[in-house]
Structure formats: C-alpha cells, structure tokens
Amino acid sequence: MSDDASVPALTAQRTAPATYTVRNANGGEFRIGAPGADDGSFTPVELLQAAAAGCAALSAEAKLANRLGEDFDAVSTVEAELNMDDNRIERLVTSIEADMSELDAETRQKLIASAERSIDSLCTVKRTLNHGAANTTGVAAQD
C-alpha cells in the first residue's frame, strides 16, 4: 500500500515580461526568468539544478554533521548536460565536497559510503528524477 501525501502547492505569479515570482506557503520567494535575463532570477534549468544540489546536501547532512561536527564545511555542485535537439536535460551530475581533512582514509571512505546511501534513500528529487514522475500542465482562463 502506498503512503501518498500532498505537498503544498507553489504559485508562480507573472511580475514582469518573462519573469515570475515563485512563493511557497512559508513566505519564501524567488524569481524565475527566461534564459539570458539579467535580473537576478533563476532559469528553470538552474532551479532543477538547485533542487538536486540542495536535496542531496540535505539528505547527507545528518551523516556528515554526526561525523564532522555541526559546523562542517561543504559545497554541493550540480552540472547539467542539455540535449539541445530535444530541449531537455540528459543528465545531472551532483557532487558534494566536505572538509574531511581530520579523518583517516578508512573513516573517510566509510563516511562517504554512508552519506551516499543516505542520499540514495532520502533525496526525493534524485529518486523522482531516477524513477520518473507524471507531469501534467493545463492552461485556464481567469474570470
């Protein structure tokens, strides 16, 4: 049996030509714009990259903080390979680099393996991309 749950909806309101402001129920917001816009907005592809980077980092957070301490340094980076002919992302490559200089080689490898297992089981974005998700879009008239 599935434990399906709803996720609160986001809204993206048009605030300028080719620019939308996205808001969540917690009051968070950011701008999304067409590629090439120089207005501090993110493109849709950059948002996909950000979701992958953030989800992986947050999924590994507990394992890394437990071994490296609450103040550990880490950077999560995502590269995207775009298929221009099909206008889609072919591949996302995420890497997380954390300061493990205080650990011996064996402890590092164990921590890396543990963090990767956490990402594989906890990162909803990665799991969704790897398994696919139905995606429907509709357009309606405002009254």
Side-chain angles (χ1 to χ4, degrees), residues 4-22:
D4 293 342
S6 285
V7 175
L10 294 176
T11 60
Q13 182 174 4
R14 187 172 191 261
T15 51
T19 303
Y20 289 75
T21 298
V22 179

Side-chain angles (χ1 to χ4, degrees), residues 18-19 32-39 41-46 82 87:
T19 303
I32 183 171
D38 190 25
D39 61 357
S41 64
F42 291 88
T43 68
V45 170
E46 289 169 333
L82 182 62
N87 192 30

